């Protein structure tokens, strides 16, 4: 089977079985759906597709070499449907040229795939609920801890500690805006370190930090911060980051 990503642009091979054959394994391979007419058709129609003469059929054109190498005569692709969503597909290779799949066999295959899809979705939902419960526990603990603090440095150090528990990050900073002086006081945190001995204080400029302060809106740059700088019109200040998240306080 292959599982779709959230954007539904790619799918990953998560399991395969070819008995004792020595076919090249595809486990873990990421498949781009663009141009993959067969898989896209199954996802769009939510119906299985049976491709006879798989080594020459137009629908399997991108994988004719694979079909020949495996000796696949007929290829069956079934959608994995959980609830009202297609979460992936399952492929069945038929190697016997004379083998004909009967309607009863197709119904059985669809039932098995549906049960597998439901089990996968239930496992995903359980994992998400467990993760959500853990996040709520950390947030509650953070709230209780911060309400007992009175000095700024202790608050920021504890904030850093809890943020690194909730997010997969180690480096962060907190920027405090001094409206009277029109300056930004940046408290820098490193990997597992306490607050920096000397904060970086500067005049309000046109950096990405100032953008969040002025717009009062969160900003996530997943990659290519240089492109984001051109798009949002901010200056690049300090060392570059592979990704960046800023949230107003």
């Amino acid at each position: 089977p292959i599982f779709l990503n959230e954007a539904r642009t790619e799918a990953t091979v998560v399991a395969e079985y070819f008995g004792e054959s020595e076919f090249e394994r595809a486990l873990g391979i990421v498949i781009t759906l663009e141009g993959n007419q067969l898989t896209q058709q199954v996802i769009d129609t939510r119906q299985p597709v049976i491709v006879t003469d798989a080594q020459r059929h137009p629908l399997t054109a991108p994988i004719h070499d694979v079909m020949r190498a495996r000796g696949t005569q007929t290829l069956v692709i079934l959608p994995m449907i959980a609830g009202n969503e297609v979460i992936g597909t399952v492929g069945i290779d038929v190697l016997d040229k004379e083998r004909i799949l009967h309607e009863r066999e197709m119904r059985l295959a669809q039932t098995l795939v549906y049960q597998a899809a439901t089990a996968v979705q239930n496992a995903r939902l359980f994992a998400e609920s467990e993760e959500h419960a853990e996040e709520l526990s950390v947030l509650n603990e953070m709230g209780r801890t911060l309400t007992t603090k009175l000095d700024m440095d202790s608050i920021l150090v504890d904030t850093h500690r809890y943020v690194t528990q909730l997010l997969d990050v180690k480096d962060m900073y907190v920027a405090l805006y001094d409206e009277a002086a029109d300056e930004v006081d940046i408290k820098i945190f490193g990997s597992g370190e306490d607050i920096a001995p000397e904060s970086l204080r500067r005049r309000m400029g046109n950096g990405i930090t100032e953008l969040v302060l002025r717009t009062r809106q969160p900003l996530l740059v997943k990659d290519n911060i240089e492109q984001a700088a051109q798009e949002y019109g901010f200056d690049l200040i300090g060392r570059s980051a592979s990704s960046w998240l800023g949230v107003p306080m």
Side-chain angles (χ1 to χ4, degrees), residues 177-186 200-207 210 213-214 237:
Y177 176 51
D178 184 341
E179 186 175 4
D182 194 31
E183 292 180 340
V184 181
D185 188 9
I186 300 177
L200 173 62
R201 193 175 184 91
R202 69 172 187 235
R203 297 283 296 178
M204 274 285 284
N206 190 42
E210 286 86 345
L213 287 170
R214 291 191 178 102
I237 302 174

Side-chain angles (χ1 to χ4, degrees), residues 21-232:
S21 65
E22 297 182 358
F23 298 138
E24 183 178 353
R25 301 306 182 188
L27 187 64
I29 289 179
V30 177
I31 301 169
T32 301
L33 295 186
E34 184 179 359
N36 192 326
Q37 185 179 353
L38 176 56
T39 302
Q40 196 65 63
Q41 178 178 325
V42 172
I43 293 171
D44 292 342
T45 64
R46 303 184 176 210
Q47 296 295 324
V49 174
I50 301 176
V51 182
T52 57
D53 196 13
Q55 297 178 21
R56 289 183 289 270
H57 197 286
L59 277 178
T60 54
I63 54 172
H64 279 171
D65 291 344
V66 176
M67 296 292 95
R68 294 188 186 104
R70 291 179 176 177
T72 303
Q73 304 298 326
T74 300
L75 179 63
V76 183
I77 304 293
L78 301 105
M80 296 186 71
I81 301 175
N84 195 36
E85 180 185 4
V86 178
I87 63 172
T89 65
V90 170
I92 300 174
D93 292 68
V94 179
L95 307 185
D96 186 350
K97 193 172 185 178
E98 305 301 322
R99 180 76 162 85
I100 298 176
L101 291 172
H102 298 287
E103 185 177 346
R104 182 183 63 83
E105 294 174 306
M106 285 299 298
R107 286 200 303 268
L108 176 60
Q110 286 179 272
T111 300
L112 292 172
V113 170
Y114 172 76
Q115 291 179 346
T118 301
V120 168
Q121 190 73 339
N122 288 341
R124 285 179 172 179
L125 292 174
F126 178 76
E128 289 175 3
S129 65
E130 289 282 287
E131 183 179 355
H132 184 58
E134 184 178 348
E135 289 173 352
L136 286 177
S137 175
V138 174
L139 288 171
N140 288 332
E141 181 184 339
M142 179 180 178
R144 290 193 300 270
T145 300
L146 294 183
T147 55
T148 65
K149 304 292 183 178
L150 297 178
D151 66 289
M152 182 64 71
D153 284 357
S154 295
I155 291 174
L156 295 180
V157 167
D158 283 326
T159 299
H160 172 252
R161 177 163 59 89
Y162 286 111
V163 166
T164 55
Q165 288 184 44
L166 291 169
L167 303 176
D168 185 21
V169 296
K170 294 181 179 179
D171 299 322
M172 62 169 282
Y173 65 86
V174 177
L176 303 175
Y177 176 51
D178 184 341
E179 186 175 4
D182 194 31
E183 292 180 340
V184 181
D185 188 9
I186 300 177
K187 311 289 188 180
I188 304 172
F189 297 83
S191 303
E193 299 174 356
D194 287 341
I195 196 166
E198 293 184 4
S199 300
L200 173 62
R201 193 175 184 91
R202 69 172 187 235
R203 297 283 296 178
M204 274 285 284
N206 190 42
I208 192 171
T209 300
E210 286 86 345
L211 176 64
V212 172
L213 287 170
R214 291 191 178 102
T215 62
R216 301 187 179 189
Q217 296 295 322
L219 177 62
L220 171 62
V221 180
K222 293 183 179 180
D223 52 32
N224 200 336
I225 198 165
E226 289 81 8
Q227 181 179 334
Q230 295 180 359
E231 179 180 349
Y232 291 99

